[in-house]
Amino acid sequence: KAGVTQTPRYLIKTRGQQVTLSCSPISGHRSVSWYQQTPGQGLQFLFEYFSETQRNKGNFPGRFSGRQFSNSRSEMNVSTLELGDSALYLCASSLEFGNRGDTQYFGPGTRLTVL
Amino acid sequence: KNEVEQSPQNLTAQEGEFITINCSYSVGISALHWLQQHPGGGIVSLFMLSSGKKKHGRLIATINIQEKHSSLHITASHPRDSAVYICAVRTYMDSNYQLIWGAGTKLIIKP
C-alpha cells in the first residue's frame, strides 16, 4: 500500500497570502489529522477529520481551516499568512475515528516558509 | 506545567547500551503513542498503548496507568536509532478528543 502523501513538499509564501496543503491518506483510512511542528512549540494538533466531518479541533485561530473529501483526501487552508505560520505541517491517517486510539501513519510533511 | 513531560530531553549513549526514555502525563487518557522522528522530518508511529507492554524488535514500550507513566526501551542500541522520540497521549478535553504531545527526547547513539 502506498503511504500517506502530502503535496507540495515545500512552499514559500509571503505574509498576507493564503495557502492550501493537500494530504492523501493510506487507502482505506478514513481519519486524517493535521499537525503543525515548529522548533519552539513541537507538534501541535490542528484538527482531525473523519468521514468528511471535522471531529476534533486544536487551539488554532480561524485562519486555519480544513476539509475532507469523500475519498478521504484532506486539504488544509491557511489564510492571511503570518511569519509565525512558518512550520512543518504534518498529516496523519488512521483507520477509524481517532478516539479509539488507532495507530497513525504520518506523511512526510509540507515545509511552509512565510517571508 | 505541561500535561505530558518527557525525560530526558537529550540523551547520548554508546552503541550497544540499553536506552530508557520516560513519559509522564497528568490527564486521563484513552491511549498513549510513541513515535520516532528522524532528522529529515519523517515521523514513524512505533507503538500505541492503553495498558501493559508491547515489544517490536529491539523496542519495548510499557505503560502504568495508575502511575500515569510510560517508558520506551531500546535494547542493543545502534546509531540508526538516533532520532527524536515523541510521546503523545490521547485525552478527552474541551469536549474533544485531543492528542497532547511531549516535547520529545533527542537520542544520539555513537558508534
Side-chain angles (χ1 to χ4, degrees):
Chain A
K1 269 186 183 176
V4 179
T5 58
Q6 290 187 246
T7 57
R9 293 293 310 278
Y10 301 92
L11 203 51
I12 300 176
K13 292 283 188 179
T14 57
R15 278 182 299 175
Q17 286 188 307
Q18 69 95 26
V19 66
T20 299
L21 312 181
S22 180
C23 171
S24 292
I26 291 172
S27 178
H29 285 194
R30 293 191 291 166
S31 176
V32 173
S33 298
W34 286 90
Y35 300 91
Q36 181 196 66
Q37 186 179 37
T38 57
Q41 298 291 322
L43 271 161
Q44 302 277 313
F45 171 71
L46 281 157
F47 25 66
E48 178 176 10
Y49 286 87
F50 179 78
S51 292
E52 302 178 65
T53 303
Q54 186 182 90
R55 294 302 180 101
N56 296 311
K57 190 176 188 304
N59 296 322
F60 276 81
R63 299 185 297 108
F64 291 82
S65 63
R67 59 177 174 168
Q68 187 179 34
F69 302 95
S70 58
N71 61 358
S72 293
R73 188 177 71 85
S74 178
E75 287 183 347
M76 190 192 91
N77 185 277
V78 188
S79 62
T80 321
L81 283 166
E82 300 177 359
L83 294 178
D85 297 333
S86 294
L88 180 68
Y89 289 88
L90 291 157
C91 155
S93 77
S94 57
L95 276 170
E96 295 288 345
F97 185 29
N99 69 304
R100 299 182 194 181
D102 281 344
T103 298
Q104 291 188 309
Y105 297 83
F106 283 80
T110 294
R111 174 75 63 186
L112 171 66
T113 302
V114 182
L115 302 176
Chain B
K1 188 181 187 300
N2 295 329
E3 288 98 347
V4 179
E5 299 213 344
Q6 287 185 237
S7 63
Q9 287 186 321
N10 296 282
L11 180 57
T12 300
Q14 291 297 131
E15 183 174 356
E17 286 189 37
F18 181 82
I19 303 298
T20 296
I21 298 170
N22 296 299
C23 176
S24 296
Y25 52 92
S26 58
V27 294
I29 69 169
S30 59
L32 181 144
H33 298 259
W34 281 102
L35 304 102
Q36 178 193 57
Q37 185 172 32
H38 282 284
I43 292 180
V44 175
S45 183
L46 298 173
F47 295 103
M48 188 277 290
L49 295 161
S50 53
S51 65
K53 175 180 174 179
K54 286 189 176 180
K55 185 177 189 292
H56 186 259
R58 295 180 294 106
L59 300 177
I60 303 167
T62 64
I63 187 168
N64 185 316
I65 297 296
Q66 287 74 29
E67 294 185 4
K68 296 189 173 179
H69 181 268
S70 175
S71 292
L72 177 68
H73 306 285
I74 305 174
T75 61
S77 59
H78 190 275
R80 65 174 174 265
D81 297 326
S82 298
V84 175
Y85 291 84
I86 305 169
C87 164
V89 300
R90 186 172 298 282
T91 187
Y92 193 74
M93 184 183 290
D94 298 329
S95 303
N96 267 331
Y97 282 96
Q98 306 252 4
L99 273 179
I100 304 176
W101 299 80
T105 294
K106 185 174 182 180
L107 175 65
I108 297 173
I109 303 296
K110 293 186 175 180

